[in-house]
Amino acid sequence: MARRPSSYVCQSCGAVSAKWAGRCESCGEWNSIVEEQTGGGIGGGPGRAARSKGRVIPLVGLTGDAKEAARIRTEVPELDRVTGGGFVRGSALLVGGDPGIGKSTLLIQAAAQLASLGHKTVYISGEEAVGQVRLRAERLGLAEAPVSLAAETSVEDILATLESDTAPALLILDSVQTLWTDKVESPPGTVTQVRASAQAMVRYAKKNGTTMVLVGHVTKDGQIAGPRVVEHMVDAVLYFEGDGAHQYRILRSVKNRFGATDEIGVFEMTGKGLVEVPNPSALFLGDRNSSAPGAAVFAGLEGSRPLLIEIQALVAQSSLGTPRRAVIGWDSARLSMILAVLEARCGVRFSQHDVYLNVAGGLKINEPGADLAVAAALISSLSGLALPANCVYFGEVSLSGAIRPVAQAQSRLKEAEKLGFDQAYCPEGNLKDSTSSFRTTGLAELGDFVAKLSVEAGTSGES
Ligand code: TYD
Ligand code: MG
């Protein structure tokens, strides 16, 4: 029998090469190249069926009938917010997250919710036995929900089962890495298998108008394991994040063909499963010690939602030749930049000091708008004087020391007002859309800000 053609596929990035190598030329990963059988099967694409001539497809213009995508709302507002207003029928979603973070819990809760609302829901577990899933459902008080459950990993069996009945409204596959199809010969979990299986399932979902949720594992550097192609195949990619030390979990959309990205939903993991957090700012501000120096409240934005977050800095005399800089929850390069701007433009020296920066609550922020709050926390800690307790900060600092406006100042201020703050330092460019009840101070330069802070510290010190 003629040998099936094989190729060498990097299990990290999915790059294909003709021969084996110790290191992938495409992504630089060591020892990630595995020989895989190619050709044929679901992953092989429709081109293999010998067809001499293509069919003529009609080409249409951009204007015409375009109905708003039909959605199934879960009535879990935090989940509906992240998906952009509910699951779109016939769409495929990929939910990634660390092991044990609560992906299966979230999805069984969503499945039970939709099933109780009268939608046909199928949950296929490839990792846990039926008994385990039942046990969890029972613990969550969801055992009565009419969810159809199976423990299965074979794509052919799953498809045959689904096709033997009316198509479900929601199909959950936990996880995509456990799926395998006998149309390709690579072992389960390999790039070729994951790609072929996901493709077959996505095709089923699109054809039958089923919303399909695939659960994906993440690698140690936080990427969804397996080929990037799965991310391209699906309509939305959601990450479920959080850390072991904290109870709350964040569902974040990083790609969404039917809604905004960067939208977040906040949940809390409790003994009774995941519970929505309707007012996350209150959670992240928690029990704040507002009289301690080095803490500044940042009025941030996650997706379309304003969020107040406490930024904590500790500036301490260093005994080392090269002082330490440690950051948790923010970009360390960005911290170096703020320190450099403070030194070069405002004459505030940190070269003899260790600097530690922490975003309270274990949250990760990557918005440049936090620059001003970070600068405020740093100066407060360096001077040993606490910032006013009822004040929020936001603004992007440029290398020249200028403070640049940020998006949606109005909603940031509203959120701050809602939580009892009445004072804000913000970019001058954002002043025109500020509300009157707020004492907003517009800033053009970081230097002005440092001067204002020292004046305030002086007056409060005297009183
Ligand atoms: P799980 O959904 O199995 O995580 P994943 O599918 O992402 O691997 O969640 C497992 C964790 O959640 C486990 O450490 C226990 C915790 N948990 C609770 O705290 N409360 C609960 O009600 C449930 C079901 C799980
Ligand atoms: Mg799981």
Side-chain angles (χ1 to χ4, degrees), residues 339-412:
L339 290 173
V341 175
L342 280 170
E343 292 221 18
R345 310 281 175 203
C346 316
V348 185
R349 305 238 164 269
F350 290 95
S351 52
Q352 303 295 316
H353 292 86
D354 291 337
V355 176
Y356 303 90
L357 192 80
N358 179 38
V359 176
L363 199 71
K364 280 190 193 65
I365 47 177
N366 43 24
E367 205 197 333
D371 292 353
L372 193 65
V374 169
L378 289 171
I379 295 166
S380 163
S381 178
L382 182 70
S383 64
L385 294 164
L387 296 165
N390 56 353
C391 185
V392 296
Y393 304 83
F394 59 89
E396 182 180 343
V397 173
S398 70
L399 283 179
S400 65
I403 295 178
R404 311 227 311 243
V406 296
Q408 301 206 36
Q410 192 57 52
S411 58
R412 293 172 201 253

Side-chain angles (χ1 to χ4, degrees), residues 38-106:
T38 52
I42 300 166
R48 292 189 61 82
R51 254 203 295 163
S52 53
K53 257 180 96 186
R55 164 172 75 81
V56 178
I57 50 163
L59 299 171
V60 296
L62 286 175
T63 52
D65 283 348
K67 279 208 297 289
E68 181 65 31
R71 291 181 186 267
I72 322 172
R73 296 186 74 88
T74 58
E75 307 300 333
V76 179
E78 293 293 304
L79 184 58
D80 286 341
R81 159 195 288 276
V82 179
T83 51
F87 291 128
V88 174
R89 284 183 192 276
S91 70
L93 290 88
L94 181 64
V95 176
D98 289 328
I101 205 73
K103 301 181 293 296
S104 306
T105 309
L106 176 73

Side-chain angles (χ1 to χ4, degrees), residues 103-104 127-128 136 174:
K103 301 181 293 296
S104 306
E127 299 188 336
E128 293 161 305
R136 175 185 293 135
D174 188 0

Side-chain angles (χ1 to χ4, degrees), residues 28 61 96 259 292 301 303 379 432:
L301 201 66
I379 295 166
K432 58 183 185 310

